[in-house]
Amino acid sequence: MATRFDPFRDFDRVLGNAMGSPATAAMPLDLYREGESFVVKVDLPGVAPESIDIDVEDRTLTVRAERADAGAKDIQWLSHERPTGTFARQLTLGYGVALDRIEATYTDGVLTLTIPVAEEAKPRKISVQHGSDARIEE
């Protein structure tokens, strides 16, 4: 029986551990496969592009971003629901992705990471030779 390749196998576990944390609320994300790549979309409204930091270490992808506070000292808040400060999310990557080819774009408050499937993880066809076609050399 064939099993479906899933380099984000631990993603649910990591996400489950992070549920309820301020970073999860401040950095909601979507993850899906599109063709030969996985796509991660992270909502980061109000975040300056230069404050976004993305790194991969030991197969863990970390996204950090900072949303600055209003900054004015004489503000009297009537409602303050938008979180500020530094936020981070981590994804555990499997062995079937090309870590050296990850691409990131930030458009209209959405960070998009494109993570290609590694060549060695792509399915291949194996040709079968008929027994009488194979010749044994002496």
Side-chain angles (χ1 to χ4, degrees):
M1 176 177 201
T3 59
R4 185 175 168 96
F5 168 69
D6 183 8
F8 292 92
R9 185 168 311 152
D10 293 329
F11 180 71
D12 287 333
R13 179 186 54 79
V14 172
L15 185 62
N17 291 341
M19 290 306 279
S21 74
T24 304
M27 296 179 71
L29 63 81
D30 289 336
L31 169 66
Y32 56 91
R33 183 169 180 165
E34 183 175 35
E36 296 299 324
S37 295
F38 292 91
V39 179
V40 180
K41 290 191 178 263
V42 184
D43 285 348
L44 295 171
V47 169
E50 59 272 6
S51 80
I52 300 171
D53 181 45
I54 305 164
D55 61 61
V56 177
E57 184 177 338
D58 294 331
R59 310 211 73 73
T60 299
L61 181 131
T62 303
V63 177
R64 285 182 196 80
E66 182 175 357
R67 184 178 300 120
D69 201 354
K73 301 292 184 210
D74 58 349
I75 291 178
Q76 180 183 4
W77 290 104
L78 302 176
S79 179
H80 188 50
E81 296 177 357
R82 296 176 60 224
T84 58
T86 302
F87 306 96
R89 291 291 299 266
Q90 292 186 321
L91 300 175
T92 302
L93 304 176
Y95 287 95
V97 295
L99 299 177
D100 59 334
R101 296 191 356 242
I102 296 174
E103 296 178 3
T105 58
Y106 183 62
T107 307
D108 298 330
V110 178
L111 174 66
T112 302
L113 301 171
T114 304
I115 307 169
V117 173
E119 289 299 319
E120 62 270 9
K122 293 181 182 177
R124 291 176 181 73
K125 282 286 196 188
I126 299 171
S127 63
V128 178
Q129 294 183 4
H130 188 271
S132 64
D133 293 341
R135 295 190 178 151
I136 300 173
E137 294 184 28
E138 297 179 20

